[in-house]
Every structure is written in C-alpha cells, then in structure tokens.
Amino acid sequence: MPEMLRRNIVMMGAPGSGKGTQSAILSEKLGINAFSMGDILRGVAKGDSEEAKLVKSLIEKGNMVPDQLAIRLMENELFKPENEKGYILDGFPRELSQAEALDTALNSEKYAQYHMNIDLVLLLQVPDDYVIDRIIGRYQCAHCKTLYHEKFKQPHVYGVCDVCGGKEFTRRADDTYETVVSRLRTFRRVTAPVIPYYEMKGLLVCVDGTGPIDVVSEKIRKIVGY
Ligand code: AP5
Ligand code: MG
C-alpha cells in the first residue's frame, strides 16, 4: 500500500451530493467497508419495536434520529477487527455531538487498540438545485441497494441491476420534494457546524461534486491516493 493512502474516511455532504455513490466506489476500489447511517437506520425502521417505529417516522419526515441511537449503531458497526484496514463513514457524524462522541470512542481504552483514527474527511460540494434533481430521480436495487438515477445512472441493461442481476427496484420514502427541502435545511443548521470541526483538525478536503460520477470519483481517487 502506498504510504500516502488515506483509508479511514468520513464522507460528508448535503442530501443527494453523492455520498452513497462515491462511498460504494471507494469501498470497492480499496476493499474496505462503507457504512451508510441512512441505510443502517432504514434497516432498523423495518422492525416492529417502538424504536423501529420512531426511526421510521423520523426519517420519513427528514428529521434526525436521536443522537445516542445513531452513536450506538455506528459504534456497533465500526469497531470490529475487519475494519482496522480502513472504513468509510457515510452520513455519520452529522452533528457536532456525534463528531465528538466518535473521537471519544476512537481514543477510548476499549477501542484505541484498533488504530482507527480518521485520516480524511471528504466534503462533497453540490448546489441545491443539483441535489433536488438527483434525489427526485434516484432509485435503487431492492436486493443489493445499488444506486441508480433516471437521467444520470441507468443500469447497463434496462430493468436489470448491474451488480446482482436483480429486477426489482425501490424508491426511498424520504425522496419527495418537501422532504428534500427539509433535509437540506437540517444539513445547514445541524450538520454544517461539523465542517469547521474537521477543518481545524486539518482533515477536511472539499471536492466539487457537480460533474458526472466518474469525474468526481477521479478527483477523490487523487485525494485518497490509491
Ligand atoms: P441518508 O440516507 O444519509 O440521506 P442523506 O444524507 O439525505 O443523503 P442521501 O442518501 O439522500 O444522498 P447521498 O449523498 O448518499 O447521494 P447518492 O449517492 O444517493 O440519511 C437519511 C436519513 O436518516 C436522514 O434524513 C436522517 O433522518 C437519518 N440519519 C442519517 N444519518 C443520521 C445521523 N448520523 N444522525 C441522525 N439521523 C441520521 O446520490 C443521489 C442520486 O444522484 C443517486 O440517484 C445517484 O445515482 C445520483 N448521483 C450521484 N452522484 C452523481 C453525479 N456526480 N452526477 C449525477 N448523478 C449523481
Ligand atoms: Mg446516501
């Protein structure tokens, strides 16, 4: 591995900026796990418990789930020996309190042994009108969750997932115009303060996320150093 390879990565950006798309590409190229907090929460929301019902109603309205729940879920996923070779966090942390909790965990007696300190925080920058277009046209494979877009990323064979061959596709319940506007507001109010937190630590690199998917991933490849 080249010495400059940065493999413990946080992916930040507004809803629809391409976090999930670019995390999947990086995960494949680097052979490391990508964790989408949104996907984890949508998994929780399928259950029957009171917690599942709460999560479902919050994410469908575009509201954040309670901090402590997000932190607990991420710690459960992240701190495993297989992630010592690197990881990508997509959608976590997205509040200052979550960034601080993650740092506390990374430095704790329990987890410091894993040497998983963050190497790089990528901020995908995309104007609001782009993200609205991207989210309204998004759909995904019902089986393997690969992301597609009506205009920007169709499967190679119409109606067949490129990755798993699945023929069923779904759309997210929170991908309505009203919810996207509310998620963008939450991003500015709650998540934006995390940006200077990582800038002060010298970890933040901004990426222009407006070009086609492969152009953005090429920019990321150079920054990550693979
Ligand atoms: P989450 O699932 O993370 O949603 P989000 O942040 O709103 O981001 P998205 O997944 O909508 O967009 P993305 O940036 O991944 O873009 P994508 O790659 O899909 O979170 C959902 C909800 O869970 C939150 O609202 C909240 O309620 C809750 N939650 C999550 N994390 C939490 C936390 N830490 N604490 C508390 N609550 C939390 O791309 C979008 C589309 O565009 C796709 O169709 C793709 O094909 C296309 N596309 C991507 N890149 C390009 C490109 N360069 N050019 C053209 N098209 C592109
Ligand atoms: Mg996503």
Side-chain angles (χ1 to χ4, degrees):
M1 255 182 215
E3 213 178 304
M4 286 305 292
L5 184 64
R6 302 201 260 181
R7 57 205 179 113
N8 297 341
I9 300 166
V10 170
M11 190 74 77
M12 290 189 70
S17 56
K19 300 182 297 292
T21 302
Q22 296 300 333
S23 295
I25 294 170
L26 262 184
S27 163
E28 199 207 326
K29 299 282 182 193
L30 298 179
I32 59 179
N33 289 324
F35 301 101
S36 155
M37 180 49 80
D39 284 347
I40 293 169
L41 289 167
R42 284 184 284 279
V44 171
K46 285 184 185 148
D48 291 327
S49 65
E50 285 308 309
E51 184 173 87
K53 286 180 200 152
L54 173 73
V55 168
K56 186 168 188 288
S57 76
L58 287 171
I59 60 180
E60 284 186 359
K61 289 188 202 108
N63 295 326
M64 304 278 274
V65 310
D67 237 12
Q68 286 313 313
L69 172 63
I71 292 167
R72 170 164 55 83
L73 291 169
M74 187 46 75
E75 288 189 4
N76 285 347
E77 295 287 335
L78 184 61
F79 293 109
K80 293 178 182 165
E82 75 224 45
N83 297 324
E84 278 185 281
K85 61 179 178 177
Y87 59 84
I88 303 154
L89 297 184
D90 156 8
F92 187 94
R94 72 167 95 198
E95 286 198 44
L96 209 45
S97 48
Q98 294 179 5
E100 288 164 352
L102 179 60
D103 274 348
T104 303
L106 287 167
N107 294 310
S108 68
E109 214 173 298
K110 192 169 166 198
Y111 298 127
Q113 50 165 326
Y114 290 119
H115 306 294
M116 288 168 71
N117 282 330
I118 299 164
D119 297 321
L120 175 66
V121 178
L122 289 169
L123 174 64
L124 292 174
Q125 294 181 303
V126 181
D128 287 5
D129 48 342
Y130 277 65
V131 308
I132 291 172
D133 250 17
R134 286 186 186 178
I135 288 182
I136 300 302
R138 170 170 56 194
Y139 61 99
Q140 63 190 146
C141 173
H143 181 60
C144 74
K145 310 289 178 228
T146 296
L147 292 164
Y148 295 99
H149 192 280
E150 288 162 1
K151 278 192 273 183
F152 308 128
K153 192 186 176 240
Q154 290 280 13
H156 297 304
V157 177
Y158 181 77
V160 182
C161 175
D162 293 342
V163 176
C164 73
K167 291 186 179 153
E168 262 184 73
F169 297 87
T170 54
R171 286 181 190 263
R172 278 168 44 178
D174 61 342
D175 279 356
T176 61
Y177 179 81
E178 293 70 28
T179 313
V180 176
V181 170
S182 147
R183 281 154 60 197
L184 279 168
R185 235 181 272 128
T186 305
F187 176 76
R188 286 201 195 89
R189 187 173 48 84
V190 183
T191 308
V194 181
I195 297 166
Y197 178 84
Y198 285 127
E199 199 170 18
M200 299 266 288
K201 290 174 179 283
L203 293 171
L204 188 82
V205 179
C206 298
V207 180
D208 174 3
T210 55
I213 293 171
D214 55 343
V215 171
V216 178
S217 60
E218 177 57 16
K219 287 180 191 159
I220 292 177
R221 186 191 66 74
K222 288 187 182 145
I223 296 164
V224 171
Y226 70 88

